């Protein structure tokens, strides 16, 4: 199934580690001809592997299901704010580069504003 909408939003079921049934939030928007894929961790609503641990496997499953080419897409992981006093539960966005071999360059922290600018451009 090809993404034909300009904006796509759903919960996406995927195979996590050891084929464990898993779920994430999924938004896809085409910006200047480039698909922007945003996956969101669902915490208690996700029975399996987190979006970060699923990584490239999740990205490939999304692209296969939606008829996208991962090499031509931007992939962003979101961990939403849980209203906790602990800072590591604050909302964060990371753009993931699956092509780099350098682990220090694989994840780029983005602000919420940068993500909105990506979606609006």
């Amino acid at each position: 199934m090809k993404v034909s909408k300009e904006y796509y939003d759903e919960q996406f079921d995927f195979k996590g580690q050891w084929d464990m049934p898993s779920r994430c939030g999924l938004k896809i928007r085409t910006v200047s001809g480039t698909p922007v894929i945003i996956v969101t961790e669902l915490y208690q609503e996700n029975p399996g592997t987190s979006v970060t641990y699923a990584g490239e496997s999740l990205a490939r499953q999304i692209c296969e299901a939606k008829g996208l080419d991962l090499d031509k897409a931007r992939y962003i992981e979101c961990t939403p704010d849980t209203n906790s006093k602990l800072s590591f539960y604050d909302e964060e966005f990371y753009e993931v580069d699956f092509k780099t071999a350098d682990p220090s360059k694989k994840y780029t922290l983005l602000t919420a504003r940068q993500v909105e600018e990506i979606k609006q451009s």
Side-chain angles (χ1 to χ4, degrees):
M1 173 182 179
K2 296 245 184 224
V3 175
S4 58
K5 300 177 184 178
E6 186 157 317
Y7 188 77
Y8 192 79
D9 191 352
E10 73 171 16
Q11 286 192 1
F12 183 79
D13 293 316
F14 64 96
K15 290 183 182 179
Q17 291 179 324
W18 304 288
D19 289 336
M20 179 175 276
S22 304
R23 178 176 295 140
C24 67
L26 173 63
K27 293 182 182 187
I28 301 173
R29 181 181 180 106
T30 300
V31 179
S32 301
T34 301
V36 177
I37 302 166
I38 302 174
V39 295
T40 301
E41 181 57 56
L42 296 178
Y43 297 117
Q44 281 88 7
E45 295 172 37
N46 177 8
T49 306
S50 74
V51 297
T52 301
Y53 287 119
E56 190 169 1
S57 172
L58 171 56
R60 294 205 179 281
Q61 289 177 63
I62 291 167
C63 288
E64 183 177 314
K66 305 303 178 191
L68 301 171
D69 182 348
L70 182 57
D71 292 332
K72 296 178 181 172
R74 294 180 78 173
Y75 185 83
I76 299 171
E77 292 180 359
C78 172
T79 53
D81 186 355
T82 61
N83 296 318
S84 172
K85 293 179 183 177
L86 303 172
S87 65
F88 57 83
Y89 285 121
D90 290 346
E91 182 175 63
E92 291 185 321
F93 296 92
Y94 287 91
E95 185 161 9
V96 185
D97 180 357
F98 296 113
K99 294 177 224 155
T100 185
D102 183 346
S104 69
K105 295 181 181 177
K106 188 171 197 92
Y107 290 89
T108 302
L109 182 63
L110 302 174
T111 65
R113 183 176 183 170
Q114 287 173 306
V115 173
E116 280 305 311
E117 288 172 0
I118 290 168
K119 293 188 324 189
Q120 299 300 321
S121 58

